[in-house]
Amino acid sequence: MCGIMGCVGPASSDAANTVYKGLKKLEYRGYDSAGIAVTDGNAVNVVKKKGAVEKLLPSLAGLNGNIAIGHTRWATHGKPSDANAHPHRSGGVCIVHNGIIENYAELREELSSLGETFYSETDSEVVAVLFRRNYRGDLLRALAETVKLLKGSYALMVICAGEQKIAAAKYKSPLIIGYGDDGKNYCASDEPALADKCKIMTVLGDGCFALISADNVEIYDGGLRPVTAKKVPLTAVSAELSLNGCSHYMLKELREVPVSVKNTVSAFSGVESKLKEAFKNVSRVIITGCGTAYHAGLIGKRYLERFAGIPTEVQTAGEFRYTEPLINENTLVLAISQSGETADTVEAARLSLAKGAKVVAVTNSAYSELTRLATVTVPVAAGPEICVAATKSYTGQIAALYLIAATICDESVKTNILGNINCVPELCKQVIENININTLAHMCAKSRGVYFMGRDLDYAVAREASLKLKEVSYIPSEGYAAGELKHGTLALIDRKTVSVVLITDKELAEKSANAVEQVLARKGKAAVITCVKEVAENFEGRAEIVLLPKCDKFLAPFIASSAVQYLAYRTAVLRRKNPDKPRNLAKSVTVE
Ligand code: F6R
């Protein structure tokens, strides 16, 4: 959610061009507007435009200077427009901000009464004005005095006429400092912006500040005491961020599902013993996450209860925090998040820790806020995911949850369960490479609404199928329990709707098949996604059939998810939508 990047190079280097290229790699964080501010230590110049980062390209030639900050925006306060685009300027000061300033209205009113003028509808512009008023030749002090007045979350970068440094501050929004191999130093909201530029970085802590110049980086704690920066490897590399011959990142990342599962299984051994320790004396598990991560949690609940016999609840993180959850030291909270930065999930973890629970993070992001907080982190080794819609990270999350449940279950069943997961990469590969989903994608693309349903694990996958389809194709969709069809949703079924029934468990096949019959009886279009040959035969000629490879029922969510995510992709492409950048959405939702 909003990508930011800064660069400080030696005198006469071209910082704007570098920041432009970095912002292009951060567009998954927002693509409503973009802007860059540049200085050579004297005047500050700004270019900002509504729309994607590319819109800045024609103006880059006029942005000369060795110090630049840039922003790609996901609008929260104020519509996407040139005026609301960052950087925001006040006199010789320019700022970029990721986060939300919750008390901006009060600050704006107060500053207006002091004669200040505002040019945007954003919450961020107050920061530029406050900084300018606080600046008396000392960047660090001015920034510290400014953030003291802010409520909310921020990753901030400031440049100022007459200064040869970028000043940065962070609270609850991610910020990394990169040490360049090229005589430059950098700052960014996340790693892809700095891929191939830096091999090491510092993850700035909450409440900390940084002063970045071409040959030096100074880090300060909240009391403005200098601290020794902890340096860690920066892992993003450009090769992994390329499309690799695919038309979209969503397709590329679906093709990487097998590797995501394989690498997550390999990485798991490193945390097994810590995990066992964390589960000691645990009588109850609460799984939390948002969107697709929550859907992975629905599957995880089933694994934990079936394999390990631990009562498990699943709650969306945005709800969890407001339900006065009954948590104590015998509760373990499993917080799932691709980015590890989703504000609701991070706050749910924080609340759980405060109530004495242990928190196990399941995340794709080793240096995220969630990782920092968690008692133990189980890595999802999906690699960078650029498409806004989660695919391979979700499958990696399911693999991690499967392994967690298998680790803490009885030794007698463990070997079998653990052995099974090794088949998953090949099964997913077969599905992604061979599945014939085109007819169903055409049916969905032309429909007025698509309803996914299933029982037990298929129900969890139906929820994910629906989210993915609406997110990338904008077709109204719902995912629900097959048994619920006759309790209301049946009223929506007609010739213009498509109902997709997932049937991967032979034991539930008969019951779920009833749902298909009910749809057909109401003249709805029906499709069946199944691993059960008899089901396919039963509906041949009456419904569209997508046959999946036969597998253990607890592994079926991996292949069924790959199938429905691929269906969403194909449908979006048929409708000429860009699945990588769905309208109104951004990848990391760092605001509540
Ligand atoms: C949907 C999607 C979102 C995310 C959700 C949580 O395709 O990607 O629903 O799953 O925003 O994000 P993370 O996992 O980063 O916490």
Side-chain angles (χ1 to χ4, degrees):
M1 168 161 295
C2 297
I4 58 177
M5 182 187 173
C7 163
V8 192
S12 78
S13 60
D14 175 8
N17 209 28
T18 308
V19 167
Y20 171 80
K21 287 183 190 149
L23 290 180
K24 291 277 293 168
K25 294 187 188 148
L26 292 182
E27 271 194 304
Y28 59 86
R29 294 188 68 100
Y31 28 86
D32 290 331
S33 63
I36 296 176
V38 175
T39 181
D40 55 3
N42 296 309
V44 178
N45 290 315
V46 183
V47 166
K48 49 190 201 166
K49 294 257 184 296
K50 181 182 166 184
V53 173
E54 212 168 52
K55 293 262 174 74
L56 302 175
L57 193 58
S59 315
L60 283 186
L63 286 179
N64 300 317
N66 57 321
I67 306 165
I69 54 174
H71 189 275
T72 179
R73 179 170 186 246
W74 183 75
T76 58
H77 292 60
K79 60 185 176 295
S81 69
D82 287 2
N84 288 338
H86 295 221
H88 292 290
R89 176 201 272 278
S90 182
V93 170
C94 270
I95 67 109
V96 291
H97 167 228
N98 173 32
I100 284 195
I101 308 301
E102 289 167 1
N103 59 336
Y104 84 100
E106 294 154 42
L107 291 169
R108 198 171 160 126
E109 201 178 307
E110 203 178 310
L111 290 164
S112 299
S113 73
L114 296 172
E116 298 289 350
T117 307
F118 289 87
Y119 301 92
S120 79
E121 303 157 314
T122 66
D123 55 328
S124 311
E125 195 181 356
V126 291
V127 181
V129 175
L130 285 170
F131 186 94
R132 193 206 80 236
R133 293 176 69 93
N134 287 328
Y135 179 70
R136 284 172 291 275
D138 185 334
L139 282 174
L140 187 61
R141 282 209 179 275
L143 192 52
E145 281 172 28
T146 300
V147 300
K148 222 185 271 172
L149 302 169
L150 308 179
K151 286 192 190 133
S153 57
Y154 52 79
L156 282 167
M157 291 180 212
V158 186
I159 59 172
C160 189
E163 291 279 3
Q164 283 286 348
K165 292 175 183 171
I166 294 175
K170 179 224 156 21
Y171 184 67
K172 288 190 175 180
S173 292
L175 203 61
I176 55 173
I177 315 288
Y179 305 87
D181 304 328
D182 51 1
K184 299 175 182 170
N185 284 318
Y186 300 91
C187 192
S189 49
D190 40 5
E191 287 190 45
L194 309 189
D196 297 345
K197 291 186 168 57
C198 313
K199 290 194 188 68
I200 47 170
M201 63 175 180
T202 293
V203 181
L204 205 60
D206 264 353
C208 291
F209 300 91
L211 289 178
I212 304 154
S213 47
D215 52 6
N216 196 21
V217 172
E218 299 157 50
I219 311 275
Y220 297 88
D221 68 11
L224 302 189
R225 288 172 291 265
V227 288
T228 310
K230 187 176 167 209
K231 293 180 179 171
V232 294
L234 187 140
T235 52
V237 284
S238 285
E240 283 186 23
L241 303 170
S242 74
L243 277 164
N244 205 11
C246 292
S247 43
H248 297 98
Y249 281 106
M250 188 169 180
L251 179 61
K252 178 191 176 229
E253 288 160 9
L254 273 163
R255 288 184 179 159
E256 288 168 350
V257 161
V259 180
S260 165
V261 174
K262 202 163 161 229
N263 289 351
T264 301
V265 174
S266 308
F268 187 75
S269 55
V271 290
E272 225 176 311
S273 59
K274 281 192 219 149
L275 196 65
K276 279 189 185 149
E277 188 59 33
F279 268 91
K280 266 192 193 150
N281 304 322
V282 167
S283 56
R284 185 166 150 254
V285 171
I286 303 178
I287 302 182
T288 194
C290 298
T292 289
Y294 165 75
H295 295 154
L298 295 174
I299 295 166
K301 167 186 161 73
R302 192 67 168 90
Y303 292 158
L304 281 162
E305 292 192 335
R306 178 63 167 76
F307 300 163
I310 300 185
T312 304
E313 292 159 48
V314 197
Q315 277 199 28
T316 55
E319 274 302 298
F320 172 85
R321 301 170 50 202
Y322 305 107
T323 54
E324 299 180 37
L326 298 172
I327 297 174
N328 60 29
E329 59 284 1
N330 299 120
T331 315
L332 186 142
V333 173
L334 260 171
I336 308 173
S337 173
Q338 186 281 129
S339 60
E341 300 290 349
T342 298
D344 283 324
T345 311
V346 169
E347 291 310 316
R350 228 188 281 277
L351 174 76
S352 307
L353 289 167
K355 285 180 175 263
K358 284 171 257 186
V359 170
V360 172
V362 175
T363 180
N364 201 26
S365 182
Y367 300 112
S368 63
E369 191 67 9
L370 192 60
T371 306
R372 211 180 54 74
L373 287 175
T375 323
V376 181
T377 293
V378 176
V380 172
E385 194 176 60
I386 304 298
C387 175
V388 166
T391 52
K392 61 174 180 168
S393 65
Y394 162 81
T395 331
Q397 287 163 359
I398 308 175
L401 292 163
Y402 187 99
L403 294 163
I404 292 169
T407 297
I408 54 166
C409 77
D410 205 276
E411 286 296 326
S412 58
V413 274
K414 186 175 167 173
T415 320
N416 205 8
I417 299 170
L418 280 178
N420 279 351
I421 199 164
N422 294 323
C423 319
V424 170
E426 183 52 36
L427 285 167
C428 291
K429 188 167 179 268
Q430 278 178 38
V431 169
I432 292 155
E433 284 179 4
N434 304 328
I435 195 170
N436 187 356
I437 211 133
N438 266 341
T439 308
L440 182 52
H442 274 98
M443 284 164 67
C444 293
K446 283 186 280 187
S447 74
R448 196 183 54 197
V450 179
Y451 304 102
F452 291 94
M453 61 199 113
R455 282 185 154 78
D456 188 19
L457 288 162
D458 289 336
Y459 163 55
V461 176
R463 298 280 302 269
E464 169 59 10
S466 164
L467 174 67
K468 206 95 317 167
L469 185 81
K470 59 190 163 197
E471 181 182 16
V472 298
S473 76
Y474 316 145
I475 299 169
S477 175
E478 213 183 308
Y480 56 91
E484 287 292 295
L485 170 66
K486 52 198 176 295
H487 297 291
T489 310
L490 200 52
L492 294 173
I493 304 301
D494 62 17
R495 284 191 175 85
K496 292 186 179 149
T497 62
V498 176
S499 297
V500 183
V501 185
L502 290 141
I503 310 180
T504 60
D505 182 352
K506 203 169 178 179
E507 286 163 43
L508 300 175
E510 231 171 79
K511 293 266 184 282
S512 295
N514 287 342
V516 189
E517 298 291 1
Q518 286 156 22
V519 168
L520 292 172
R522 305 292 158 182
K523 300 204 164 37
K525 293 200 172 68
V528 183
I529 298 182
T530 186
C531 322
V532 186
K533 209 168 94 243
E534 294 79 2
V535 171
E537 285 164 4
N538 177 18
F539 289 108
E540 192 64 56
R542 297 195 295 145
E544 174 59 20
I545 309 291
V546 177
L547 192 61
L548 301 177
K550 206 169 147 198
C551 68
D552 177 82
K553 78 172 190 184
F554 291 104
L555 302 184
F558 290 95
I559 58 169
S561 303
S562 297
V564 295
Q565 291 184 338
Y566 190 62
L567 171 66
Y569 170 73
R570 287 295 310 146
T571 309
V573 170
L574 285 171
R575 285 168 63 91
R576 297 184 192 286
K577 308 294 177 206
N578 179 356
D580 290 343
K581 290 182 185 170
R583 69 182 177 210
N584 306 339
L585 298 178
K587 193 150 183 74
S588 306
V589 186
T590 51
V591 296
E592 293 170 49

